[in-house]
Structure formats: structure tokens, C-alpha cells
Amino acid sequence: MTEKLTMKKLSDELEQLRTQMQGLEVRLQHHLESKLESALAAAKSMTQPQPASNAGLLTSIDAEQRQRLITMEAYLIAERRGFEGSDPAQDWAEAEKLVDYRLMQSSEPMHLAPRTPKAGKKTTPTVKKTDSRKKADVKTAAATKP
């Protein structure tokens, strides 16, 4: 009988712990989402075009903002692999490289990439007509008029 009470008590405690854990996971998720949103908003505001008088501001951010971006990126790297199987220092180093690369890209002038045709769409090369071909087209058109 005492064994059954103990198992029942342990089962109840386990259920309470599960409930507490779920609550903590929800709170953590909300906290991370709010931090990510604020970091994304900060990053977006840094990359939006500024008037010419503020052009120099795009090329630099303060060390604290950079640290926050690196922290968020390192977390996302760890999250993508399920928080298993890697060294946090390695995640940090990779995050630093990514953030620095993005910051360098945002400080350089934008260059448009060449347009590529959409999949399934035929592209025909345009041939520039020479003067003699234009004259031949005019003669053909004049000859076909009634």
C-alpha cells in the first residue's frame, strides 16, 4: 500500500514538473521571439536607406549592437542543429563571420545582379539589324502593299 502511494505521489510530482516545464518553454519562446523581433528591427533600421547627410551612419554600428547581432545569430545556428553536437565557441565564431559579412555588405554600394530568366520561359536572343537588313525589310514591306 505504501508503495502505491509513493508511485502515485511520484506520478503527481512528475506531472507538476511537466506542467512547469511547459510553462517555462512558452515563456522562453515568447522571450526569444521578442528579442529576435527587436534585433531584426534594429538590423532593418540600420540597413534602410538614409538621406545623403546620414550616409556615413550606415557604415558603422556600435559594439553593443554588433554583440547582440552575433548573440542572436549564434543562437540561431545552435537552434538549427537542435542544440546538439557542436561547440558554442565554434557557433560564436561562425556567427561573428556572418554578422561581419552582412555588415560589410550593407555598407557597400548596392550592385544589381543580372536578371535571370524565369524557369520554363523561353528566351530568344535579340539580333541587332544592320542597315542593309533594315532596307531589305522596307523593300519587302513595300512590295507586299497592294
Side-chain angles (χ1 to χ4, degrees), residues 12-104:
D12 290 344
E13 287 180 17
L14 182 60
E15 189 58 37
Q16 287 176 349
L17 288 173
R18 282 187 184 137
T19 304
Q20 288 175 354
M21 186 65 120
Q22 288 173 345
L24 288 172
E25 287 175 348
V26 168
R27 285 179 39 205
L28 178 61
Q29 185 68 28
H30 289 298
H31 179 72
L32 289 175
E33 287 173 357
S34 68
K35 290 292 185 181
L36 183 58
E37 286 174 8
S38 64
L40 288 173
K44 190 175 181 179
S45 69
M46 289 186 304
T47 59
Q48 287 181 345
Q50 301 291 325
S53 61
N54 293 337
L57 296 177
L58 286 177
T59 60
S60 65
I61 62 169
D62 69 15
E64 186 178 320
Q65 288 174 322
R66 182 178 172 272
Q67 286 293 106
R68 275 187 271 155
L69 291 172
I70 292 169
T71 301
M72 292 303 295
E73 189 64 41
Y75 176 83
L76 293 173
I77 290 168
E79 182 180 49
R80 280 191 292 264
R81 65 160 204 288
F83 300 101
E84 295 178 9
S86 187
D87 178 24
Q90 186 179 8
D91 293 343
W92 186 269
E94 185 179 343
E96 267 187 316
K97 287 178 187 175
L98 284 169
V99 168
D100 288 344
Y101 175 78
R102 288 180 189 142
L103 290 173
M104 285 185 350

Side-chain angles (χ1 to χ4, degrees), residues 79-141:
E79 182 180 49
R80 280 191 292 264
R81 65 160 204 288
F83 300 101
E84 295 178 9
S86 187
D87 178 24
Q90 186 179 8
D91 293 343
W92 186 269
E94 185 179 343
E96 267 187 316
K97 287 178 187 175
L98 284 169
V99 168
D100 288 344
Y101 175 78
R102 288 180 189 142
L103 290 173
M104 285 185 350
Q105 292 297 320
S106 69
S107 67
E108 292 177 3
M110 297 289 281
H111 299 288
L112 296 177
R115 297 183 91 189
T116 56
K118 292 182 180 177
K121 186 176 179 183
K122 277 190 173 180
T123 57
T124 56
T126 56
V127 179
K128 194 172 187 179
K129 291 185 178 181
T130 60
D131 286 337
S132 60
R133 285 181 65 189
K134 287 179 188 175
K135 288 177 186 174
D137 287 347
V138 170
K139 286 179 186 176
T140 306

